[in-house]
Amino acid sequence: MSLNIKKQLNSQLSKDVLNVLELCSQTADENDFKIYLIGGIVRDLLLKRKSFDIDISVEGDAIKFCHLLAEKKYCKITQVQNDLKTAKAVFEHDVEIDFASTRQEFYPRRGHLPVVAKIGCSLEEDVYRRDFTINSLAMSLNKENYGDVIDYVGGVNDLNNKKLRVLHDNSFNEDPSRILRCLKFAARFNFHRDEHTKALQEKYINRQLHDDISWTRIKSELKQSFSLNMAKVYDMFLVNENYKLIYGERPDIKGLEIKTLIDKYQPEHVWLVYLATVLKNKNIIESFCFTRAEKKVFTDIEHLMNAHLSMMNSNYDIYKFFDKKSVESVLVYYLLTKRKEALIYLEKLYLIRVELNGDEIKELGITDGKQIGKILDELLKKKLAGNIVKKSDEIDFVKSKIK
Ligand code: ATP
């Protein structure tokens, strides 16, 4: 007997979403389309978890199907990708749905992006391009079997047993970013890899070369996993030797240590703090095509780690050492070196600034550029030592210099 999850659907999804699914269902029936909820949303419905993205798989041409919905004024099509025949549409109350045509893919080069072999194939053929059995479930949206779960790969069983299982032995060779997806799902759902999947993963990871990899996908998955800010993601990343994928070095750091620092100092790029403790390889850093701000974290770390560490006796010395470095890089420096000055900087000094600027000092009567620089430095020293607090004190100090 097939599993039907109409009840879960009605209790877990909002009225607005249910109405939209009903419109899609009617339109599919009227026009002989077979459509399904697919992937993450079906998994999350079965897990009774909140799901964010709604993906519908259309057996046939999803763009054509979307146009039928748009003609009836049910939605606005906001995005179309002709090569994959996918579309995005927005319905009433801002309900957004991704529509994809069923497709078969193959990987011409190991690790690189797949090439579409066939569009509009059967649902069963579509399912085999997916990563894990728990992400390969579909739920029919056609009236005659609305809510029926379609499970070609034993995904329901794996969900019940909290197992992450790939669909075939070549899965990680095709797309190594699935190793990181595995990490993400394991942490998020508290699932485990089945023994065979674990063995396949270890075999892939212990290959010497990981050059034939899509770094874009790896980066995206690392970002998602580490942005969860879960200590166990990091611990598993180290224990399962996932860092070898990016030619990383295993540090003696615990996830909880990083999470505690992140929660306290709230850096903007949480994921980079985790990542930068293992990623040192310059070529890989280049391959990641980091944004400017992201790249700065790595260059800051490099500077700090290579800087000549003289004695840091005063707050001023500490301030100068870390000045203008990103919070992320100071945290990573602390994690790697355990130099307590890094935390003194973040805790006490990071936000200290001289309030007066050069122009204001000029207006007070000091015109020589060099002298202004010297005064600013003296003001900073005094502020860091706690001898000056308010702006008025800064002004008094400048005036005393004029005298
Ligand atoms: P999340 O809750 O993190 O969004 P999701 O499973 O919905 O999880 P997506 O990245 O949105 O994740 O992917 C949607 C679906 O596409 C997945 O459920 C899976 O079936 C498939 N998929 C995504 N990435 C891959 C991949 N690298 N290899 C194979 N299938 C994938």
PDB file of all heavy atoms in Angstrom, residues 30-57:
ATOM      1  N   GLU A  30      -6.273  19.078 -15.927  1.00  0.00           N
ATOM      2  CA  GLU A  30      -6.981  19.565 -17.127  1.00  0.00           C
ATOM      3  C   GLU A  30      -6.125  19.431 -18.380  1.00  0.00           C
ATOM      4  O   GLU A  30      -6.642  19.348 -19.480  1.00  0.00           O
ATOM      5  CB  GLU A  30      -7.331  21.049 -16.947  1.00  0.00           C
ATOM      6  CG  GLU A  30      -8.489  21.290 -15.990  1.00  0.00           C
ATOM      7  CD  GLU A  30      -8.549  22.748 -15.519  1.00  0.00           C
ATOM      8  OE1 GLU A  30      -7.883  23.626 -16.158  1.00  0.00           O
ATOM      9  OE2 GLU A  30      -9.221  22.990 -14.516  1.00  0.00           O
ATOM     10  N   ASN A  31      -4.797  19.442 -18.204  1.00  0.00           N
ATOM     11  CA  ASN A  31      -3.916  19.453 -19.385  1.00  0.00           C
ATOM     12  C   ASN A  31      -3.034  18.218 -19.495  1.00  0.00           C
ATOM     13  O   ASN A  31      -2.030  18.222 -20.206  1.00  0.00           O
ATOM     14  CB  ASN A  31      -3.043  20.715 -19.352  1.00  0.00           C
ATOM     15  CG  ASN A  31      -3.868  21.977 -19.470  1.00  0.00           C
ATOM     16  OD1 ASN A  31      -4.258  22.376 -20.556  1.00  0.00           O
ATOM     17  ND2 ASN A  31      -4.171  22.586 -18.334  1.00  0.00           N
ATOM     18  N   ASP A  32      -3.426  17.188 -18.790  1.00  0.00           N
ATOM     19  CA  ASP A  32      -2.702  15.897 -18.858  1.00  0.00           C
ATOM     20  C   ASP A  32      -1.230  15.981 -18.503  1.00  0.00           C
ATOM     21  O   ASP A  32      -0.382  15.379 -19.174  1.00  0.00           O
ATOM     22  CB  ASP A  32      -2.844  15.292 -20.271  1.00  0.00           C
ATOM     23  CG  ASP A  32      -4.178  14.601 -20.412  1.00  0.00           C
ATOM     24  OD1 ASP A  32      -4.742  14.238 -19.361  1.00  0.00           O
ATOM     25  OD2 ASP A  32      -4.647  14.466 -21.554  1.00  0.00           O
ATOM     26  N   PHE A  33      -0.915  16.757 -17.487  1.00  0.00           N
ATOM     27  CA  PHE A  33       0.465  16.779 -16.979  1.00  0.00           C
ATOM     28  C   PHE A  33       0.535  15.951 -15.707  1.00  0.00           C
ATOM     29  O   PHE A  33      -0.428  15.935 -14.928  1.00  0.00           O
ATOM     30  CB  PHE A  33       0.883  18.217 -16.636  1.00  0.00           C
ATOM     31  CG  PHE A  33       1.451  18.978 -17.788  1.00  0.00           C
ATOM     32  CD1 PHE A  33       0.656  19.840 -18.542  1.00  0.00           C
ATOM     33  CD2 PHE A  33       2.789  18.846 -18.123  1.00  0.00           C
ATOM     34  CE1 PHE A  33       1.191  20.552 -19.606  1.00  0.00           C
ATOM     35  CE2 PHE A  33       3.338  19.554 -19.180  1.00  0.00           C
ATOM     36  CZ  PHE A  33       2.528  20.411 -19.924  1.00  0.00           C
ATOM     37  N   LYS A  34       1.656  15.304 -15.502  1.00  0.00           N
ATOM     38  CA  LYS A  34       1.876  14.671 -14.201  1.00  0.00           C
ATOM     39  C   LYS A  34       2.859  15.543 -13.435  1.00  0.00           C
ATOM     40  O   LYS A  34       3.953  15.828 -13.932  1.00  0.00           O
ATOM     41  CB  LYS A  34       2.458  13.269 -14.391  1.00  0.00           C
ATOM     42  CG  LYS A  34       1.415  12.267 -14.795  1.00  0.00           C
ATOM     43  CD  LYS A  34       1.918  10.867 -14.547  1.00  0.00           C
ATOM     44  CE  LYS A  34       0.789   9.894 -14.706  1.00  0.00           C
ATOM     45  NZ  LYS A  34       1.251   8.617 -15.236  1.00  0.00           N
ATOM     46  N   ILE A  35       2.456  15.980 -12.257  1.00  0.00           N
ATOM     47  CA  ILE A  35       3.344  16.855 -11.486  1.00  0.00           C
ATOM     48  C   ILE A  35       3.517  16.325 -10.056  1.00  0.00           C
ATOM     49  O   ILE A  35       2.639  15.640  -9.527  1.00  0.00           O
ATOM     50  CB  ILE A  35       2.836  18.319 -11.468  1.00  0.00           C
ATOM     51  CG1 ILE A  35       1.489  18.428 -10.757  1.00  0.00           C
ATOM     52  CG2 ILE A  35       2.747  18.898 -12.866  1.00  0.00           C
ATOM     53  CD1 ILE A  35       1.117  19.872 -10.419  1.00  0.00           C
ATOM     54  N   TYR A  36       4.654  16.675  -9.463  1.00  0.00           N
ATOM     55  CA  TYR A  36       5.000  16.137  -8.137  1.00  0.00           C
ATOM     56  C   TYR A  36       5.721  17.182  -7.294  1.00  0.00           C
ATOM     57  O   TYR A  36       6.536  17.943  -7.825  1.00  0.00           O
ATOM     58  CB  TYR A  36       5.965  14.948  -8.275  1.00  0.00           C
ATOM     59  CG  TYR A  36       5.518  13.916  -9.271  1.00  0.00           C
ATOM     60  CD1 TYR A  36       5.851  14.046 -10.628  1.00  0.00           C
ATOM     61  CD2 TYR A  36       4.768  12.815  -8.866  1.00  0.00           C
ATOM     62  CE1 TYR A  36       5.433  13.116 -11.555  1.00  0.00           C
ATOM     63  CE2 TYR A  36       4.353  11.873  -9.793  1.00  0.00           C
ATOM     64  CZ  TYR A  36       4.684  12.023 -11.143  1.00  0.00           C
ATOM     65  OH  TYR A  36       4.277  11.094 -12.060  1.00  0.00           O
ATOM     66  N   LEU A  37       5.454  17.159  -6.011  1.00  0.00           N
ATOM     67  CA  LEU A  37       6.389  17.827  -5.108  1.00  0.00           C
ATOM     68  C   LEU A  37       7.616  16.932  -5.096  1.00  0.00           C
ATOM     69  O   LEU A  37       7.487  15.707  -5.115  1.00  0.00           O
ATOM     70  CB  LEU A  37       5.827  17.915  -3.691  1.00  0.00           C
ATOM     71  CG  LEU A  37       4.774  18.971  -3.384  1.00  0.00           C
ATOM     72  CD1 LEU A  37       4.401  18.904  -1.909  1.00  0.00           C
ATOM     73  CD2 LEU A  37       5.290  20.371  -3.721  1.00  0.00           C
ATOM     74  N   ILE A  38       8.791  17.527  -4.994  1.00  0.00           N
ATOM     75  CA  ILE A  38       9.996  16.689  -5.135  1.00  0.00           C
ATOM     76  C   ILE A  38      11.109  17.128  -4.184  1.00  0.00           C
ATOM     77  O   ILE A  38      11.207  18.314  -3.851  1.00  0.00           O
ATOM     78  CB  ILE A  38      10.498  16.750  -6.614  1.00  0.00           C
ATOM     79  CG1 ILE A  38      11.603  15.743  -6.893  1.00  0.00           C
ATOM     80  CG2 ILE A  38      10.974  18.147  -6.976  1.00  0.00           C
ATOM     81  CD1 ILE A  38      11.112  14.419  -7.353  1.00  0.00           C
ATOM     82  N   GLY A  39      11.912  16.169  -3.770  1.00  0.00           N
ATOM     83  CA  GLY A  39      13.153  16.477  -3.038  1.00  0.00           C
ATOM     84  C   GLY A  39      12.927  16.921  -1.599  1.00  0.00           C
ATOM     85  O   GLY A  39      12.138  16.332  -0.851  1.00  0.00           O
ATOM     86  N   GLY A  40      13.608  18.005  -1.241  1.00  0.00           N
ATOM     87  CA  GLY A  40      13.650  18.473   0.148  1.00  0.00           C
ATOM     88  C   GLY A  40      12.290  18.654   0.807  1.00  0.00           C
ATOM     89  O   GLY A  40      12.111  18.302   1.980  1.00  0.00           O
ATOM     90  N   ILE A  41      11.326  19.151   0.062  1.00  0.00           N
ATOM     91  CA  ILE A  41      10.033  19.441   0.704  1.00  0.00           C
ATOM     92  C   ILE A  41       9.324  18.148   1.130  1.00  0.00           C
ATOM     93  O   ILE A  41       8.708  18.086   2.200  1.00  0.00           O
ATOM     94  CB  ILE A  41       9.122  20.328  -0.196  1.00  0.00           C
ATOM     95  CG1 ILE A  41       7.829  20.625   0.555  1.00  0.00           C
ATOM     96  CG2 ILE A  41       8.838  19.720  -1.544  1.00  0.00           C
ATOM     97  CD1 ILE A  41       7.084  21.833   0.112  1.00  0.00           C
ATOM     98  N   VAL A  42       9.446  17.106   0.318  1.00  0.00           N
ATOM     99  CA  VAL A  42       8.795  15.829   0.669  1.00  0.00           C
ATOM    100  C   VAL A  42       9.510  15.232   1.890  1.00  0.00           C
ATOM    101  O   VAL A  42       8.872  14.770   2.840  1.00  0.00           O
ATOM    102  CB  VAL A  42       8.825  14.848  -0.531  1.00  0.00           C
ATOM    103  CG1 VAL A  42       8.063  13.576  -0.175  1.00  0.00           C
ATOM    104  CG2 VAL A  42       8.263  15.500  -1.772  1.00  0.00           C
ATOM    105  N   ARG A  43      10.830  15.295   1.845  1.00  0.00           N
ATOM    106  CA  ARG A  43      11.633  14.823   2.989  1.00  0.00           C
ATOM    107  C   ARG A  43      11.211  15.553   4.267  1.00  0.00           C
ATOM    108  O   ARG A  43      10.937  14.926   5.286  1.00  0.00           O
ATOM    109  CB  ARG A  43      13.114  15.114   2.660  1.00  0.00           C
ATOM    110  CG  ARG A  43      14.096  14.836   3.779  1.00  0.00           C
ATOM    111  CD  ARG A  43      15.394  15.589   3.512  1.00  0.00           C
ATOM    112  NE  ARG A  43      15.203  17.038   3.665  1.00  0.00           N
ATOM    113  CZ  ARG A  43      15.865  17.963   2.991  1.00  0.00           C
ATOM    114  NH1 ARG A  43      16.770  17.610   2.101  1.00  0.00           N
ATOM    115  NH2 ARG A  43      15.643  19.248   3.199  1.00  0.00           N
ATOM    116  N   ASP A  44      11.094  16.886   4.171  1.00  0.00           N
ATOM    117  CA  ASP A  44      10.772  17.677   5.364  1.00  0.00           C
ATOM    118  C   ASP A  44       9.343  17.431   5.848  1.00  0.00           C
ATOM    119  O   ASP A  44       9.083  17.460   7.045  1.00  0.00           O
ATOM    120  CB  ASP A  44      11.011  19.169   5.090  1.00  0.00           C
ATOM    121  CG  ASP A  44      12.498  19.471   4.913  1.00  0.00           C
ATOM    122  OD1 ASP A  44      13.326  18.638   5.327  1.00  0.00           O
ATOM    123  OD2 ASP A  44      12.838  20.534   4.360  1.00  0.00           O
ATOM    124  N   LEU A  45       8.434  17.190   4.898  1.00  0.00           N
ATOM    125  CA  LEU A  45       7.058  16.864   5.307  1.00  0.00           C
ATOM    126  C   LEU A  45       7.057  15.567   6.114  1.00  0.00           C
ATOM    127  O   LEU A  45       6.424  15.461   7.155  1.00  0.00           O
ATOM    128  CB  LEU A  45       6.159  16.704   4.077  1.00  0.00           C
ATOM    129  CG  LEU A  45       5.678  18.001   3.416  1.00  0.00           C
ATOM    130  CD1 LEU A  45       5.103  17.731   2.036  1.00  0.00           C
ATOM    131  CD2 LEU A  45       4.630  18.697   4.295  1.00  0.00           C
ATOM    132  N   LEU A  46       7.812  14.591   5.618  1.00  0.00           N
ATOM    133  CA  LEU A  46       7.861  13.300   6.319  1.00  0.00           C
ATOM    134  C   LEU A  46       8.556  13.427   7.675  1.00  0.00           C
ATOM    135  O   LEU A  46       8.239  12.714   8.614  1.00  0.00           O
ATOM    136  CB  LEU A  46       8.561  12.256   5.450  1.00  0.00           C
ATOM    137  CG  LEU A  46       7.684  11.721   4.310  1.00  0.00           C
ATOM    138  CD1 LEU A  46       8.523  11.065   3.234  1.00  0.00           C
ATOM    139  CD2 LEU A  46       6.648  10.741   4.840  1.00  0.00           C
ATOM    140  N   LEU A  47       9.515  14.346   7.735  1.00  0.00           N
ATOM    141  CA  LEU A  47      10.229  14.543   9.009  1.00  0.00           C
ATOM    142  C   LEU A  47       9.469  15.495   9.939  1.00  0.00           C
ATOM    143  O   LEU A  47       9.922  15.772  11.041  1.00  0.00           O
ATOM    144  CB  LEU A  47      11.625  15.130   8.747  1.00  0.00           C
ATOM    145  CG  LEU A  47      12.673  14.203   8.140  1.00  0.00           C
ATOM    146  CD1 LEU A  47      13.943  14.991   7.803  1.00  0.00           C
ATOM    147  CD2 LEU A  47      13.023  13.084   9.113  1.00  0.00           C
ATOM    148  N   LYS A  48       8.374  16.023   9.435  1.00  0.00           N
ATOM    149  CA  LYS A  48       7.572  17.016  10.174  1.00  0.00           C
ATOM    150  C   LYS A  48       8.410  18.245  10.534  1.00  0.00           C
ATOM    151  O   LYS A  48       8.325  18.793  11.634  1.00  0.00           O
ATOM    152  CB  LYS A  48       6.944  16.396  11.427  1.00  0.00           C
ATOM    153  CG  LYS A  48       6.049  15.213  11.100  1.00  0.00           C
ATOM    154  CD  LYS A  48       5.161  14.824  12.259  1.00  0.00           C
ATOM    155  CE  LYS A  48       4.068  13.857  11.873  1.00  0.00           C
ATOM    156  NZ  LYS A  48       4.500  12.657  11.145  1.00  0.00           N
ATOM    157  N   ARG A  49       9.231  18.646   9.593  1.00  0.00           N
ATOM    158  CA  ARG A  49      10.054  19.842   9.782  1.00  0.00           C
ATOM    159  C   ARG A  49       9.583  20.927   8.839  1.00  0.00           C
ATOM    160  O   ARG A  49       9.015  20.636   7.784  1.00  0.00           O
ATOM    161  CB  ARG A  49      11.524  19.536   9.452  1.00  0.00           C
ATOM    162  CG  ARG A  49      12.202  18.662  10.463  1.00  0.00           C
ATOM    163  CD  ARG A  49      13.597  18.342   9.978  1.00  0.00           C
ATOM    164  NE  ARG A  49      14.439  19.526  10.012  1.00  0.00           N
ATOM    165  CZ  ARG A  49      15.342  19.780  10.941  1.00  0.00           C
ATOM    166  NH1 ARG A  49      15.565  18.911  11.887  1.00  0.00           N
ATOM    167  NH2 ARG A  49      16.067  20.864  10.911  1.00  0.00           N
ATOM    168  N   LYS A  50       9.914  22.149   9.196  1.00  0.00           N
ATOM    169  CA  LYS A  50       9.561  23.268   8.324  1.00  0.00           C
ATOM    170  C   LYS A  50      10.435  23.225   7.072  1.00  0.00           C
ATOM    171  O   LYS A  50      11.633  22.985   7.155  1.00  0.00           O
ATOM    172  CB  LYS A  50       9.798  24.569   9.082  1.00  0.00           C
ATOM    173  CG  LYS A  50       9.075  25.742   8.479  1.00  0.00           C
ATOM    174  CD  LYS A  50       9.159  26.938   9.417  1.00  0.00           C
ATOM    175  CE  LYS A  50       8.851  28.232   8.724  1.00  0.00           C
ATOM    176  NZ  LYS A  50       7.706  28.241   7.838  1.00  0.00           N
ATOM    177  N   SER A  51       9.795  23.451   5.924  1.00  0.00           N
ATOM    178  CA  SER A  51      10.550  23.457   4.671  1.00  0.00           C
ATOM    179  C   SER A  51      10.453  24.835   4.053  1.00  0.00           C
ATOM    180  O   SER A  51       9.428  25.500   4.184  1.00  0.00           O
ATOM    181  CB  SER A  51       9.946  22.424   3.719  1.00  0.00           C
ATOM    182  OG  SER A  51      10.890  22.022   2.787  1.00  0.00           O
ATOM    183  N   PHE A  52      11.518  25.258   3.404  1.00  0.00           N
ATOM    184  CA  PHE A  52      11.495  26.625   2.891  1.00  0.00           C
ATOM    185  C   PHE A  52      11.233  26.705   1.392  1.00  0.00           C
ATOM    186  O   PHE A  52      10.518  27.569   0.931  1.00  0.00           O
ATOM    187  CB  PHE A  52      12.794  27.349   3.260  1.00  0.00           C
ATOM    188  CG  PHE A  52      12.922  27.487   4.748  1.00  0.00           C
ATOM    189  CD1 PHE A  52      13.680  26.607   5.487  1.00  0.00           C
ATOM    190  CD2 PHE A  52      12.219  28.480   5.416  1.00  0.00           C
ATOM    191  CE1 PHE A  52      13.770  26.723   6.871  1.00  0.00           C
ATOM    192  CE2 PHE A  52      12.289  28.609   6.792  1.00  0.00           C
ATOM    193  CZ  PHE A  52      13.068  27.724   7.534  1.00  0.00           C
ATOM    194  N   ASP A  53      11.830  25.789   0.648  1.00  0.00           N
ATOM    195  CA  ASP A  53      11.659  25.856  -0.807  1.00  0.00           C
ATOM    196  C   ASP A  53      10.602  24.867  -1.265  1.00  0.00           C
ATOM    197  O   ASP A  53      10.557  23.736  -0.774  1.00  0.00           O
ATOM    198  CB  ASP A  53      12.983  25.498  -1.505  1.00  0.00           C
ATOM    199  CG  ASP A  53      14.083  26.463  -1.099  1.00  0.00           C
ATOM    200  OD1 ASP A  53      13.765  27.631  -0.817  1.00  0.00           O
ATOM    201  OD2 ASP A  53      15.248  26.023  -1.039  1.00  0.00           O
ATOM    202  N   ILE A  54       9.777  25.332  -2.207  1.00  0.00           N
ATOM    203  CA  ILE A  54       8.798  24.404  -2.776  1.00  0.00           C
ATOM    204  C   ILE A  54       9.231  24.099  -4.202  1.00  0.00           C
ATOM    205  O   ILE A  54       9.270  24.977  -5.058  1.00  0.00           O
ATOM    206  CB  ILE A  54       7.378  25.020  -2.778  1.00  0.00           C
ATOM    207  CG1 ILE A  54       7.023  25.508  -1.371  1.00  0.00           C
ATOM    208  CG2 ILE A  54       6.353  24.004  -3.267  1.00  0.00           C
ATOM    209  CD1 ILE A  54       5.769  26.338  -1.311  1.00  0.00           C
ATOM    210  N   ASP A  55       9.579  22.839  -4.429  1.00  0.00           N
ATOM    211  CA  ASP A  55      10.005  22.403  -5.763  1.00  0.00           C
ATOM    212  C   ASP A  55       8.954  21.468  -6.337  1.00  0.00           C
ATOM    213  O   ASP A  55       8.534  20.513  -5.682  1.00  0.00           O
ATOM    214  CB  ASP A  55      11.335  21.645  -5.672  1.00  0.00           C
ATOM    215  CG  ASP A  55      12.484  22.571  -5.295  1.00  0.00           C
ATOM    216  OD1 ASP A  55      12.622  23.629  -5.929  1.00  0.00           O
ATOM    217  OD2 ASP A  55      13.225  22.236  -4.349  1.00  0.00           O
ATOM    218  N   ILE A  56       8.555  21.787  -7.578  1.00  0.00           N
ATOM    219  CA  ILE A  56       7.616  20.897  -8.270  1.00  0.00           C
ATOM    220  C   ILE A  56       8.301  20.351  -9.510  1.00  0.00           C
ATOM    221  O   ILE A  56       8.948  21.084 -10.271  1.00  0.00           O
ATOM    222  CB  ILE A  56       6.314  21.655  -8.653  1.00  0.00           C
ATOM    223  CG1 ILE A  56       5.504  21.925  -7.382  1.00  0.00           C
ATOM    224  CG2 ILE A  56       5.495  20.857  -9.662  1.00  0.00           C
ATOM    225  CD1 ILE A  56       4.146  22.584  -7.611  1.00  0.00           C
ATOM    226  N   SER A  57       8.191  19.051  -9.668  1.00  0.00           N
ATOM    227  CA  SER A  57       8.764  18.412 -10.836  1.00  0.00           C
ATOM    228  C   SER A  57       7.627  18.113 -11.811  1.00  0.00           C
ATOM    229  O   SER A  57       6.585  17.582 -11.413  1.00  0.00           O
ATOM    230  CB  SER A  57       9.449  17.115 -10.378  1.00  0.00           C
ATOM    231  OG  SER A  57      10.120  16.545 -11.435  1.00  0.00           O
TER     232      SER A  57
END
